[in-house]
Amino acid sequence: MQILTQLLFSGIALGMIYAVIAFGYQLTFATSDTLNFGQGDALMLGALVGLTLVGLGINYWLMVRLVCLFGAAQGALVERIGVRPAIKIKSEFGWIMSTIALGIIAKNVAENIWGRDDLRFPSPLPESPIHFLGANVLPMEILVVVGAVAMMTAVEVFNRRSIYGKAVVATFNDRDAAKLMGIDTGMVITFSYALSSMSAAFAGVLIAPLTLTGATMGAVLGLKAFAVAIIGGLTSGMGIILGGVILGVAETTTGFYLATGYKDVPGLVLLLIVLALKPAGLFGKPAMKKV
């Protein structure tokens, strides 16, 4: 039971990272029906920029804010040069290739600046574990869960309480009607991409102290987060959180009880089952098209 509890705690922490990245997919899909397939690379850039700032002597908590600003700027740039032109010409696949291409460019730039070797990110919290319910929990794992929930809650509160957030919700409900009401939907889409990349960069500096930081760290995390978004449902925030926890716990338990080489299998099998039986996701709502 102690081992199982340990695996559950580690799985929840890992799943919340997946959920934060997947939350970024949901943000862009809600406003523009597009996805930023460079989410993993936004996470990687956030972690590496954060590592550089910490190396310059900047406090970790101030660094997090600066990395969030960097992530927002990077996301807005991706929308401007990669997504907006495709939306204007109504290209169904242009934004896919553009976001993938920009992600590859970001990875190559990172390799040339920071090198190909993985780097260690110093932890801002003590590295000695806390004993809880018979398990050893790292303080950084607790921070990951708390930070992830705080990020997603802040965005939800912003969308529901602020006038700018209501513009995002209006664009999500009906983009054409929102435009007729005077809402600058183009700016809303740019804002959603900025939030998307900001959440990924934030996830990068959260997970970096628990793992190695490098130019290749975002590829697998971005792909698994996309699986979480599909499993949970791109239209359900709660579904994405639960999908992240399901995948994280499945990976940690499978890696321990079977073999580390099989830890990716349960999530992929679940993804295939969900796509076959409920394409909108376990908690998502199927899109209704008026004829």
Side-chain angles (χ1 to χ4, degrees):
M1 286 302 296
Q2 291 181 351
I3 293 175
L4 179 59
T5 304
Q6 181 76 56
L7 294 172
L8 288 176
F9 284 145
S10 298
I12 290 172
L14 180 61
M16 291 308 296
I17 287 295
Y18 293 156
V20 171
I21 308 171
F23 188 62
Y25 287 120
Q26 185 196 43
L27 288 170
T28 59
F29 183 78
T31 56
S32 62
D33 292 328
T34 63
L35 299 169
N36 181 8
F37 286 104
Q39 276 290 92
D41 298 291
L43 176 144
M44 172 269 298
L45 286 176
L48 287 172
V49 169
L51 180 62
T52 299
L53 293 176
V54 169
L56 294 174
I58 295 177
N59 178 273
Y60 179 87
W61 310 108
L62 174 59
M63 175 275 296
V64 170
R65 301 174 191 176
L66 295 176
V67 166
C68 285
L69 291 176
F70 169 81
Q74 187 259 344
L77 180 64
V78 168
E79 192 277 335
R80 286 283 182 171
I81 67 177
V83 178
R84 180 167 296 195
I87 293 178
K88 282 186 177 180
I89 64 174
K90 297 182 178 180
S91 171
E92 294 184 3
F93 303 106
W95 57 268
I96 297 177
M97 297 309 301
S98 295
T99 55
I100 291 175
L102 289 170
I104 294 173
I105 292 172
K107 178 175 174 291
N108 289 336
V109 169
E111 288 178 342
N112 281 284
I113 295 177
W114 288 279
R116 295 174 178 267
D117 296 331
D118 291 328
L119 306 170
R120 188 178 184 278
F121 199 112
S123 176
L125 299 178
E127 298 187 14
S128 56
I130 299 172
H131 299 285
F132 182 70
L133 296 179
N136 295 324
V137 182
L138 292 174
M140 200 64 208
E141 290 180 331
I142 299 175
L143 179 61
V144 163
V145 175
V146 173
V149 172
M151 164 64 79
M152 291 183 282
T153 302
V155 174
E156 284 296 321
V157 171
F158 173 82
N159 285 340
R160 294 179 183 275
R161 297 296 178 87
S162 72
I163 189 165
Y164 300 105
K166 290 177 181 178
V168 173
V169 174
T171 304
F172 164 69
N173 291 329
D174 192 323
R175 196 190 316 168
D176 294 331
K179 187 179 294 185
L180 291 174
M181 293 296 293
I183 296 174
D184 187 347
T185 55
M187 185 60 67
V188 170
I189 293 172
T190 302
F191 180 71
S192 69
Y193 265 81
L195 274 182
S196 172
S197 291
M198 183 183 75
S199 65
F202 178 71
V205 293
L206 279 183
I207 198 174
L210 294 174
T211 182
L212 295 175
T213 305
T216 60
M217 67 178 294
V220 175
L221 289 171
L223 182 61
K224 290 182 178 179
F226 180 66
V228 165
I230 298 301
I231 292 170
L234 277 166
T235 59
S236 172
M238 183 57 66
I240 282 179
I241 293 175
L242 294 176
V245 171
I246 289 171
L247 183 59
V249 171
E251 285 190 3
T252 55
T253 53
T254 302
F256 180 82
Y257 289 113
L258 293 181
T260 55
Y262 290 104
K263 70 175 185 176
D264 296 330
V265 173
L268 296 176
V269 171
L270 180 58
L271 174 63
L272 294 174
I273 294 173
V274 170
L275 287 174
L277 300 180
K278 198 173 181 184
L282 294 176
F283 306 95
K285 297 179 180 179
M288 302 295 292
K289 292 186 178 181
K290 296 180 179 180
V291 179

